[in-house]
Amino acid sequence: MTTEREAVAAGFDEWVGTLSEWVAIPSVSADPDRAPDVGASADFLAERLRRTGFPDVEVLTSGPYRPAVYAHWPSGEPDPVRVLVYGHHDVQPADGDDRWTHPPFRPQLIGDVLYGRGASDDKGNIGAHLLGMAAHLRATGRSAPAVDVTLLVEGEEESGSPHIGDLLAELGDKLTADVIVVSDTGIFDAGTPSLCVGMRGLVAGELHVHGPEVDLHSGVFGGAVPNPISELVRLLAAMHDEHGHIAIPRFYDGVIEPTDSDRQKTRALPFDEHSWITGPAASRAAWGEAGYSTLERIGSRPTAEINGIYGGYTGPGSKTIVPTDGHAKLSFRLVGEQDPAAIRRAVTDFFAFGVRAGLTVDLTWEGDGVRPLYTDPNHPATIAAQRALGAAFDTATVLLTREGGSGPEAELVDAIGAPMVFLGVMTEDDQIHAPNERAPLPLLRKGCEAIAHLWRELAELGRDGLVKSDG
Ligand SMILES: [Zn+2]
């Protein structure tokens, strides 16, 4: 009898070859010139899913979205658990950044680490479903999976999933599921397997402060009229008080304070702040809202972040003006029950009522924003995923963590109406979204194995077992 681990080991080298070929396709969704590559990446995945045995595979191209991949493999068992797997095959931009010492789209294996854009996020992690499925079949001696498996692999997640609603509407009942498995997140660190049970929401937009109709001479008018860029930075600085609390009225509505037990669990995580600061955070200090630890700030506190500022004269030499306009790009991470629409109103009021006479502000928002998402840590599906991950990592202890990032997951849960579990093995060392993205192969191997275990675990649970009893 072959175990899941042996089955993964037997297919792993070939799988790494497949992953490398896939990473070489520069499927950057943000770059219109790379549109054919996004299509090629979808076609590549579809072909590999067919080779794995998925009988029903489609590349979706008829909507406004960039090419996405749908695949379905029915179990053949009576009344099987139906699983929907979500991930993405597009990647973050990498061009024009000379900090890549390993070329982003010429994947390189150095030691047991695969370098390349997408090696981790998300081709490595969603690609693990190819070998995970093969290993599940081999270890169980089945010709079809023990659970119904449907995959939806999006082609524009890194561009904010602007058309996920169109995809969900187009596929409709084909996505019906008892549980959603997201393979686009990570674990606490390589030695500490963990399961994500929460993601922050997100609202992003741009603040514009308008002043004089034309640039004014700073000698003739300076000091006597309001300067829109001075006002911009004053307003931006006013978003936080000196203790790092966000000072926007009504901003904290819906934020849920961590309980003593939450705080205890967070403290129990093996977090080394110093190596976090000097390593992945690449900063010289940790700083944030007073009264909360770094992990709490990331996992359970909201943010008001200035992403960029522009306006006025920025060319060579000096130009002595009072400029017409100042602009800032802003983003807000949301937690608890914070509502994106209410946050947009609170932020708009804060700037509109706070601005000095003689200047005007307006805000432009990027889409509707994303609400925060929390999954039930006691749900049978969460426990099954903990067991699957634990089996791959040879441990009974799989911690539950929250991620600071945001994705289309809340929209998926709302549309499908099923519980969600996160199964991915990214770590902070993977440099996702940064130069020199990489994935350690031993972790990807465990990720493949965890998927194989999860299909078995969910099948053993059955549909009745997945319905959580409140007793
Ligand atoms: Zn991702």
Side-chain angles (χ1 to χ4, degrees), residues 88 90 121-122 157-158 184-185 426 432-433:
H88 61 94
D90 64 316
D121 181 14
D122 187 28
E157 195 272 348
E158 300 292 12
D184 190 22
T185 54
M426 295 176 195
I432 65 166
H433 296 205

Side-chain angles (χ1 to χ4, degrees), residues 188 192-196 265 268-270 386 389 397-401:
F188 190 78
T192 315
S194 66
L195 212 59
C196 168
K265 280 182 197 147
L269 291 168
Q386 274 180 299
L389 207 53
T397 312
V398 173
L399 304 172
L400 300 176
T401 60

Side-chain angles (χ1 to χ4, degrees), residues 252-274:
Y252 284 98
D253 289 2
V255 172
I256 297 164
E257 288 296 320
T259 63
D260 287 347
S261 140
D262 291 337
R263 305 200 80 168
Q264 223 164 354
K265 280 182 197 147
T266 305
R267 273 197 297 274
L269 291 168
F271 179 64
D272 177 353
E273 184 159 293
H274 181 258

Side-chain angles (χ1 to χ4, degrees), residues 96-316:
D97 188 329
D98 55 14
R99 290 168 298 174
W100 283 83
T101 51
H102 307 275
F105 301 114
R106 267 183 284 137
Q108 282 177 300
L109 190 57
I110 297 173
D112 59 7
V113 177
L114 181 67
Y115 284 81
R117 174 60 88 217
S120 176
D121 181 14
D122 187 28
K123 285 171 175 168
N125 276 277
I126 193 68
H129 284 273
L130 294 166
L131 182 55
M133 174 61 88
H136 164 66
L137 297 176
R138 212 164 144 189
T140 56
R142 303 179 58 94
S143 55
V147 292
D148 266 17
V149 177
T150 302
L151 264 85
L152 175 60
V153 184
E154 216 196 330
E156 53 188 11
E157 195 272 348
E158 300 292 12
S159 295
S161 303
H163 306 104
I164 183 86
D166 297 284
L167 272 172
L168 296 174
E170 180 181 327
L171 290 166
D173 291 346
K174 290 166 97 173
L175 301 179
T176 302
D178 303 302
V179 57
I180 306 166
V181 174
V182 172
S183 288
D184 190 22
T185 54
I187 53 175
F188 190 78
D189 64 37
T192 315
S194 66
L195 212 59
C196 168
V197 289
M199 295 181 97
R200 289 196 282 197
L202 180 66
V203 163
E206 218 166 305
L207 168 65
H208 313 277
V209 179
H210 307 294
E213 289 302 312
V214 291
D215 288 347
L216 299 177
H217 189 291
S218 74
V220 179
F221 299 98
V225 293
N227 178 313
I229 296 182
S230 303
E231 185 62 1
L232 175 78
V233 296
R234 189 186 69 83
L235 289 168
L236 294 176
M239 289 201 297
H240 293 89
D241 71 12
E242 62 186 303
H243 305 293
H245 298 296
I246 295 162
I248 299 169
R250 314 196 303 281
F251 189 85
Y252 284 98
D253 289 2
V255 172
I256 297 164
E257 288 296 320
T259 63
D260 287 347
S261 140
D262 291 337
R263 305 200 80 168
Q264 223 164 354
K265 280 182 197 147
T266 305
R267 273 197 297 274
L269 291 168
F271 179 64
D272 177 353
E273 184 159 293
H274 181 258
S275 47
W276 177 80
I277 291 167
T278 52
S283 294
R284 281 166 293 281
W287 193 82
E289 192 178 4
Y292 299 93
S293 70
T294 293
L295 284 183
E296 286 170 340
R297 288 169 183 162
I298 297 167
S300 57
R301 301 307 293 170
T303 69
E305 208 76 64
I306 304 163
N307 310 119
I309 293 183
Y310 63 97
Y313 181 71
T314 56

Side-chain angles (χ1 to χ4, degrees), residues 51-92:
R51 272 196 225 174
T52 303
F54 277 83
D56 183 7
V57 180
E58 280 175 67
V59 176
L60 306 166
T61 54
S62 61
Y65 43 79
R66 294 175 187 81
V69 178
Y70 163 88
H72 179 64
W73 198 339
S75 153
E77 294 290 334
D79 202 26
V81 169
R82 298 159 302 171
V83 183
L84 172 64
V85 175
Y86 169 82
H88 61 94
H89 69 88
D90 64 316
V91 298
Q92 282 274 317

Side-chain angles (χ1 to χ4, degrees), residues 336-362:
E337 287 164 9
Q338 279 181 300
D339 170 40
I343 292 297
R344 288 200 304 270
R345 286 194 297 272
V347 171
T348 302
D349 288 350
F350 177 72
F351 292 127
F353 294 127
V355 72
R356 230 177 264 294
L359 299 171
T360 55
V361 297
D362 68 80

